[in-house]
Amino acid sequence: MDFDDTPEEASWRSTVRSIIADNREALGRRGAGRGYDDPAARDRQALLYDNGLVGVTWSKEAGGQGGTPMQQAIVDQELSRAEVPGLVNLIGIGMCGPTVIAHGSESQKERYLKRLLRADDLWCQLFSEPGSGSDLAALRTKAVRTDDGTWRISGQKVWTTLAHVSDYGILLTRTDPDVAKHRGLTMFVVDMKAPGVSVRSLRQMSGGSDFNEVFFDDVEISDDERLGDVGNGWGVALTTLMAERMSLGGGGTDIGVGVGAVADHVAARIADLPDDRAAVTRQQFGRAYAESLAIRYTGYRQLSAISRGEMPGPEASAGKLAGTRVARDLADLSVRLLDDDAVFARDSGGDSTWQDSQASLPGLAIAGGTNEVLRNVIGERVLGLPAEPRADKNVPFRETIAVATGGSESAAKGATV
Amino acid sequence: MNFDLDDQQRDLASAAGDFLASSTSLADVRAALDAAATDIAVRPGRDQLLSSGFATITLPEEVDGGGGTVLDLAVVAEQAGRVLAGPSLITYARAAVLLAGDTDRLRALAAGEMKVAVVDGDGPVLDALGAEQFLALRDGRIVIGGGTVDLPDPIDPTRGLGRVTLGDVEVVDGSGDGADAQARWDRALQIGRVILAAESLGAAARSVEIGVAYAKERQAFGRAIGSYQAVKHALVDAYVAVEELRSLVWWSAWAADNAPDELPMASASAKGVAAMASQLAAETLIQVHGGIGFTWEHDAHLYWRRAKVDRFLLGDDVAAFDEVARLAMAGAAS
């Protein structure tokens, strides 16, 4: 057991460090705004790409470096250590790209992948709908093939992160309502600037807007833009979700709230607290800190598996479950330390760091698979517990809609399938 | 990055698991609960633990110890925790550090001629049952000597817990004085916390296993209770806590062997998280079993007893987390 780089890993790490050092100024520092709309953010990603630090694990044919997951993890660690702002096209790289690589045609790969890595194009993932979040396969956005072979899409997506700035998206649709819900789906690449696509930003409880509603009003998509076979959309979506686990499963990074920053905050405030409050604060902080270390070292166990060439399994989701709870504890403690200022959106110094972090946390327990769904996945796939019975299993999708809307014939016809 | 057990350590775990499963059982534990405090026989007992070689893994080879690492001992301790074995490997791990350099006593310890326990202040003494020599920190020195042992009714009969009044003591050879002795005492305590956390890991992991097995079998309202999210999620939360604890046990044991600067933070974190995880796992085990779970006949309360007692050994979780916070604020190595 050790925490050391292998000689190959060490050599790659030093290469990465020197690339970062050589481009230090141009890469910028974290903390200068969110940057989705900022052209400079795309330029930074292009610079990283041109130096071989984006898409490390992607094959050369796909525009990547043909490297290992461990090399990618080292790049992530070094960019984080150097406080380089995060990539702007994370969903594209983490989820959409791997899906195109696995299921796309040669011409789709040619058209999209390199531009995606360079952030010439930004991408989003159009999966969830108002009536189907965790029950993803219950989605209703329909795609109908016309006589000339083009597809017409109508329906609505929601919680679509970065849709408002994206150039393309991967879009999961229902193409056959007469088979069981998982079997009648088909995936497409959609041009987010196409006629009939409209995006409306949703404002989050934190006040910020990262995700959106997306409406499809008779949007035309050429059959060339289909990803995978008709009716195999669920299989394609699983590729995306596996890639998501992979992109979230890399070890050792803070979730939501930086524990080091909280340590500094506690250290700065604790001397002014009466003894009893100081003792309680230390106890609560120590507990959250110890748990954050547990999460970090659990991440290192996953990295070790990646270093051996293994893929993260469903147990990788354990880090998210533990991480969201600890992040809440840390945010709660941090806000409480503001004392009377805690009830204002900005404290007396005009700073809203801790209040903002608190307001972003409920979303963490929902995004990337709700914690309830992740518990089901771990319970069933890791612990081997029996699955929750499913009322809609092997039932044609059209009939499940009829049940959900009261079972009448007219309700079934009126549904958007 | 290679933060994982190696094949040798996995073999060690398997051998230790086989030995312990054949030399103690939960029936023995329950029998101990029914015995008078002075008649309790913890299993597998000092002699068997010594002859197996597991108790003396961290003693040097020159004194007939195993010359192994703290991580090796932690791997065995996890297996001991699974079957609630006693006496604890914590006692041997601490004695190995406190007696370092005192070749005669180490040899006597390894040969089973000297039965020790370690006394922390005025607190309850782990493995006081059957001990004849007691190690303590007195007036800035590490001392050893006889004492009188009082054995009140133990909540957990596998821990050999008692109260000890020290008799005549002498200073341990080569243990130094002042800062040296304190540093050695602290290191022994930290390593003790690592091994305690490893035992908790085993007990908690086993609790989750028993709960999962029952949740797959037991039917209610026409289906297995493990298919209900309320039950499933409770077991998953306990499983997650166990895996987080496993990471801290490995890290803290590794730090004991390789990174002394990290050991204070790692061992305090492991100790505190162990207290929470083992309690959560034991209480979940009971809850999943419903009424059966809190009967005397079911094994669940044996794990619950272990968790409740372990929480207070070697400093409680509040003390451990307070220490973590102080170290974190001081920017300590983590």
Side-chain angles (χ1 to χ4, degrees):
Chain A
M1 183 180 291
D2 64 62
F3 296 90
D4 303 333
D5 287 333
T6 63
E8 293 78 23
E9 288 163 3
S11 146
W12 173 243
R13 191 181 296 280
S14 94
T15 304
V16 174
R17 281 187 186 171
S18 60
I19 291 171
I20 294 172
D22 291 348
N23 296 281
R24 186 57 276 192
E25 280 308 303
L27 288 172
R29 294 266 180 198
R30 220 184 288 151
R34 319 208 46 157
Y36 300 137
D37 308 314
D38 179 4
R42 295 196 188 206
D43 292 344
R44 283 197 296 266
Q45 183 165 329
L47 178 64
L48 286 171
Y49 175 80
D50 294 342
N51 280 285
L53 300 190
V54 183
V56 174
T57 59
W58 293 20
S59 68
K60 297 221 156 123
E61 298 77 52
Q65 303 296 317
T68 64
M70 196 59 200
Q71 287 179 321
Q72 179 66 61
I74 288 169
V75 169
D76 295 344
Q77 287 171 355
E78 292 303 321
L79 291 174
S80 170
R81 187 195 311 252
E83 298 190 356
V84 173
L87 299 180
V88 69
N89 208 9
L90 266 187
I91 291 169
I93 296 167
M95 295 160 229
C96 305
T99 310
V100 172
I101 290 171
H103 300 280
S105 65
E106 288 312 309
S107 97
Q108 285 172 322
K109 292 179 194 174
E110 182 75 20
R111 248 176 303 159
Y112 295 130
L113 293 174
K114 184 177 166 189
R115 290 181 56 82
L116 182 158
L117 288 175
R118 287 192 88 245
D120 297 332
D121 301 323
L122 300 189
W123 284 63
C124 60
Q125 172 194 321
L126 300 143
F127 282 17
S128 293
E129 298 189 5
S132 66
S134 291
D135 187 8
L136 176 60
L139 61 86
R140 299 192 194 191
T141 291
K142 68 177 175 182
V144 177
R145 205 194 303 237
T146 59
D147 293 341
D148 64 359
T150 12
W151 296 82
R152 284 188 175 270
I153 317 289
S154 51
Q156 183 198 343
K157 297 288 174 179
V158 73
W159 325 127
T160 312
T161 304
L162 299 191
H164 59 303
V165 290
S166 286
D167 303 285
Y168 295 96
I170 55 173
L171 172 65
L172 191 57
T173 65
R174 181 164 310 281
T175 43
D176 186 353
D178 294 315
V179 293
K181 65 179 183 176
H182 291 88
R183 292 194 217 120
L185 305 175
T186 304
M187 188 83 82
F188 296 93
V189 174
V190 61
D191 178 351
M192 294 297 287
K193 308 285 189 290
V197 179
S198 51
V199 177
R200 199 174 76 184
S201 282
L202 288 165
R203 199 165 180 208
Q204 292 146 227
M205 56 184 278
S206 61
S209 292
D210 295 327
F211 54 66
N212 308 270
E213 295 176 294
V214 184
F215 300 89
F216 296 90
D217 184 12
D218 270 338
V219 176
E220 268 189 40
I221 299 186
S222 138
D223 194 53
D224 294 344
E225 297 298 1
R226 180 159 45 78
L227 268 182
D229 294 338
V230 174
N232 189 36
W234 186 250
V236 180
L238 287 181
T239 305
T240 316
L241 299 176
M242 299 257 289
E244 179 174 31
R245 178 188 297 158
M246 187 81 188
S247 72
L248 296 176
T253 48
D254 289 334
I255 293 182
V257 178
V259 71
V262 178
D264 293 343
H265 181 50
V266 175
R269 297 263 173 172
I270 203 162
D272 297 332
L273 296 178
D275 288 350
D276 54 346
R277 284 184 76 95
V280 170
T281 300
R282 273 199 310 276
Q283 204 267 325
Q284 291 176 335
F285 173 62
R287 174 176 164 161
Y289 193 90
E291 290 184 272
S292 78
L293 291 173
I295 293 163
R296 181 193 299 175
Y297 283 90
T298 303
Y300 289 163
R301 284 166 59 196
Q302 284 162 30
L303 272 183
S304 302
I306 289 171
S307 180
R308 289 194 297 264
E310 297 165 18
M311 295 288 121
E315 63 276 8
S317 302
K320 194 208 164 199
L321 292 177
T324 42
R325 192 170 43 74
V326 171
R328 276 181 175 168
D329 288 348
L330 287 169
D332 183 56
L333 176 69
S334 302
V335 167
R336 186 138 36 77
L337 282 171
L338 298 179
D339 205 5
D340 286 347
D341 277 334
V343 299
F344 298 105
R346 290 177 191 283
D347 68 24
S348 316
D351 186 1
S352 62
T353 306
W354 303 115
Q355 290 91 332
D356 289 350
S357 72
Q358 182 175 241
S360 70
L361 290 170
L364 270 183
I366 295 169
T370 64
N371 285 7
E372 289 71 24
V373 164
L374 295 182
R375 285 189 178 95
N376 282 357
V377 170
I378 293 173
E380 291 165 24
R381 307 242 185 99
V382 181
L383 300 183
L385 291 167
E388 187 89 357
R390 288 175 185 153
D392 58 2
K393 206 171 181 184
N394 300 324
V395 175
F397 181 71
R398 194 185 293 280
E399 289 174 25
T400 70
I401 297 290
V403 170
T405 53
S408 75
E409 185 92 2
S410 60
K413 281 180 184 157
T416 58
V417 291
Chain B
M1 174 82 63
N2 175 30
F3 184 41
D4 199 355
L5 300 182
D6 61 28
D7 287 342
Q8 237 177 335
Q9 285 152 348
R10 284 200 194 86
D11 291 345
L12 177 62
S14 161
D18 290 347
F19 162 75
L20 289 160
S22 68
S23 54
T24 183
S25 71
L26 294 180
D28 293 334
V29 175
R30 188 175 290 96
L33 254 185
D34 287 321
T38 45
D39 296 337
I40 289 173
V42 296
R43 306 284 179 121
R46 289 178 198 257
D47 291 345
Q48 270 200 282
L49 268 187
L50 284 166
S51 61
S52 69
F54 294 130
T56 52
I57 284 174
T58 60
L59 263 55
E61 287 172 1
E62 307 87 87
V63 298
D64 302 323
T69 63
V70 174
L71 180 58
D72 293 334
L73 187 63
V75 163
V76 174
E78 179 186 347
Q79 299 301 317
R82 287 174 64 84
V83 293
L84 306 178
S88 177
L89 295 167
I90 298 169
T91 297
Y92 291 95
R94 292 180 79 185
V97 176
L98 295 174
L99 293 171
D102 190 336
T103 313
D104 292 343
R105 284 200 176 92
L106 283 179
R107 196 165 276 131
L109 178 71
E113 293 153 8
M114 188 177 72
K115 300 180 185 347
V116 300
V118 183
V119 180
D120 295 286
D122 304 326
V125 175
L126 182 62
D127 299 325
L129 180 72
E132 291 157 2
Q133 294 280 298
F134 298 93
L135 282 154
L137 186 68
R138 288 289 184 273
D139 304 323
R141 295 185 170 223
I142 293 167
V143 297
I144 190 164
T148 30
V149 180
D150 177 28
L151 297 168
D153 276 348
I155 289 178
D156 175 4
T158 63
R159 284 306 201 189
L161 288 164
R163 295 192 186 279
V164 174
T165 310
L166 280 186
D168 289 340
V169 293
E170 54 185 281
V171 174
V172 169
D173 288 352
S175 67
D177 52 19
D180 296 342
Q182 183 68 49
R184 183 186 287 209
W185 183 266
D186 291 345
R187 179 172 167 79
L189 180 66
Q190 287 154 6
I191 289 174
R193 284 176 158 191
V194 172
I195 302 304
L196 174 62
E199 289 183 349
S200 298
L201 171 64
R206 183 69 192 130
S207 297
V208 174
E209 281 174 22
I210 299 171
V212 165
Y214 184 72
K216 287 180 188 175
E217 272 174 25
R218 165 76 179 171
Q219 304 273 320
F221 305 105
R223 53 182 164 117
I225 60 169
S227 69
Y228 292 102
Q229 290 194 348
V231 175
K232 185 178 292 172
H233 291 190
L235 287 165
V236 168
D237 285 345
Y239 160 81
V240 170
V242 166
E243 289 308 307
E244 301 297 318
L245 172 59
R246 182 182 304 283
S247 303
L248 289 180
V249 167
W250 289 1
W251 172 43
S252 58
W254 174 86
D257 296 320
N258 297 287
D261 291 353
E262 296 179 31
L263 181 59
M265 174 66 93
S267 60
S269 298
K271 157 70 202 180
V273 169
M276 288 166 33
S278 55
Q279 192 156 283
L280 176 66
E283 289 177 353
T284 302
L285 173 61
I286 293 173
Q287 183 69 19
V288 165
H289 279 78
I292 294 164
F294 66 99
T295 60
W296 190 263
E297 286 71 25
H298 197 272
D299 293 339
H301 72 108
L302 306 177
Y303 286 94
W304 181 90
R305 287 169 190 283
R306 183 56 91 87
K308 290 293 167 181
V309 163
D310 281 5
R311 180 179 180 187
F312 295 102
L313 297 180
L314 311 187
D316 70 3
D317 48 334
V318 172
F321 289 140
D322 194 283
E323 202 171 320
V324 169
R326 289 176 191 276
L327 289 166
M329 285 190 286
S334 57

